[in-house]
Amino acid sequence: MKRIGSGEFHAAYEFGSLRLVSLRDGYVDMPVTRLRQANDKTFGEDLPSQLRLVDGGLRLSVNAFLLDDGTEATLIDTGASNAWDPSMGFLPQALQEANIAAERIRTVAFTHTHLDHIQGLILPDGRDAFPQLSRLLVPEEELGRFRAEARLQRFHGREEPFAAGQRITPAIEALAAAGHEKGHTCFRVTSDGETVLIWGDTIHVPSLQFERPEITWEFDADQDKARESRMRIMALATEEGCYVAGAHLDSPGVGRLFRSGSGFRFEPL
């Protein structure tokens, strides 16, 4: 994989016979109390020194990823639109900067149904973000959560549930990664011998959780399962020697993973 273009809101990579595009929806700031040690314990004076803070808080990048085969474009997650902080919602600008027409996106798949991944289906002015959308893929365990989103009511009934182990395209396979949410999913994408794991919210705070993957997140629905999934997915990435792409890794959020002591080391691409 090699980078073939970039800008303020995107980075594009040649990936086998595909083009992988990281799209920066923006960022969200969170307090350090979101981090959890064992037994749901927060940090106090023992706050790890390697944490990178902005104005005393954690700044999480919010990224979506697009796979382009030259004919169709498949989008993994959609960002937050105007449903959360104004520091997010820049996916349309990212697509424009990357010269990707929204009309080309016919398949959207969600890693999970938290609002910073699904609300980008609708533009701030209320129009459909992807007017030619024909497949909307939602983890089957989270159909109820998706259908509870009133803002997305027009899409209720159009969604197609998928399960771990299912191929959503010939190149994209869903992998179970439950914990952060009950249907949280990674997508293993393979093209011409290259593999990338688009892993959603496997990591929230890259300055800490690569080195200390046992640290969890307040919004993990099941912290024990989230920890297990993180260890398993990161081990898979190192064993297979594949690339990774993360929703909350520092933009553009694409790189390689290596073992380092009892943890891991991430090298951005």
Side-chain angles (χ1 to χ4, degrees):
M1 187 190 296
K2 65 178 181 179
R3 190 184 292 204
I4 55 175
S6 62
E8 181 181 2
F9 294 105
H10 89 288
Y13 301 86
E14 185 181 84
F15 170 66
S17 61
L18 303 174
R19 182 167 64 131
L20 170 68
V21 185
S22 171
L23 302 161
R24 186 169 73 88
D25 191 62
Y27 66 87
V28 61
D29 288 334
M30 293 283 192
V32 295
T33 53
R34 297 283 188 249
L35 291 166
R36 291 292 192 270
Q37 303 179 73
N39 300 315
D40 202 28
K41 180 184 176 183
T42 60
F43 286 98
E45 293 182 358
D46 57 341
L47 195 67
S49 60
Q50 66 265 49
L51 271 179
R52 292 200 298 269
L53 303 178
V54 178
D55 297 328
L58 302 167
R59 177 158 291 180
L60 280 60
S61 187
V62 179
N63 311 312
F65 297 95
L66 180 137
L67 295 152
D68 188 349
D69 66 5
T71 301
E72 284 198 17
T74 297
L75 182 63
I76 308 296
D77 293 332
T78 66
S81 188
N82 61 335
W84 201 352
D85 288 346
S87 55
M88 291 175 279
F90 295 96
L91 186 72
Q93 290 92 322
L95 288 168
Q96 184 177 27
E97 184 182 84
N99 294 313
I100 299 167
E103 290 78 8
R104 291 192 57 233
I105 298 172
R106 300 179 62 83
T107 298
V108 169
F110 295 136
T111 57
H112 62 298
T113 55
H114 289 178
L115 65 83
D116 54 324
H117 297 259
I118 67 173
Q119 294 289 348
L121 287 173
I122 296 177
L123 298 172
D125 64 9
R127 291 180 297 128
D128 284 5
F130 314 109
Q132 299 302 315
L133 183 68
S134 59
R135 293 185 76 200
L136 179 59
L137 298 161
V138 179
E140 62 181 4
E141 300 90 344
E142 298 188 37
L143 288 175
R145 285 184 57 94
F146 180 76
R147 291 168 182 166
E149 290 290 339
R151 183 176 179 270
L152 302 179
Q153 185 175 4
R154 76 186 70 165
F155 295 99
H156 299 168
R158 293 178 56 186
E159 69 274 56
E160 175 186 331
F162 70 86
Q166 182 175 332
R167 285 197 173 272
I168 65 170
T169 75
I172 304 173
E173 178 189 8
L175 300 181
H180 176 57
E181 193 47 75
K182 59 184 179 180
H184 185 251
T185 299
C186 295
F187 295 103
R188 177 161 50 195
V189 187
T190 304
S191 179
D192 292 349
E194 291 192 292
T195 301
V196 60
L197 295 178
I198 301 177
W199 70 15
D201 286 14
T202 295
I203 292 279
H204 285 87
V205 183
S207 63
L208 179 63
Q209 287 180 295
F210 282 121
E211 184 177 343
R212 296 186 58 185
E214 78 278 6
I215 300 300
T216 58
W217 190 243
E218 180 181 4
F219 297 135
D220 289 337
D222 184 319
Q223 293 184 10
D224 289 338
K225 283 187 178 180
R227 184 183 299 110
E228 184 278 329
S229 288
R230 178 164 46 258
M231 295 296 294
R232 176 171 47 81
I233 293 297
M234 291 202 295
L236 178 66
T238 59
E239 290 162 6
E240 293 192 351
C242 60
Y243 297 92
V244 299
H248 297 305
L249 302 186
D250 298 334
S251 178
V254 177
R256 300 289 289 270
L257 201 59
F258 302 91
R259 291 277 189 181
S260 179
S262 60
F264 298 83
R265 173 174 51 87
F266 175 71
E267 290 188 1
L269 184 63

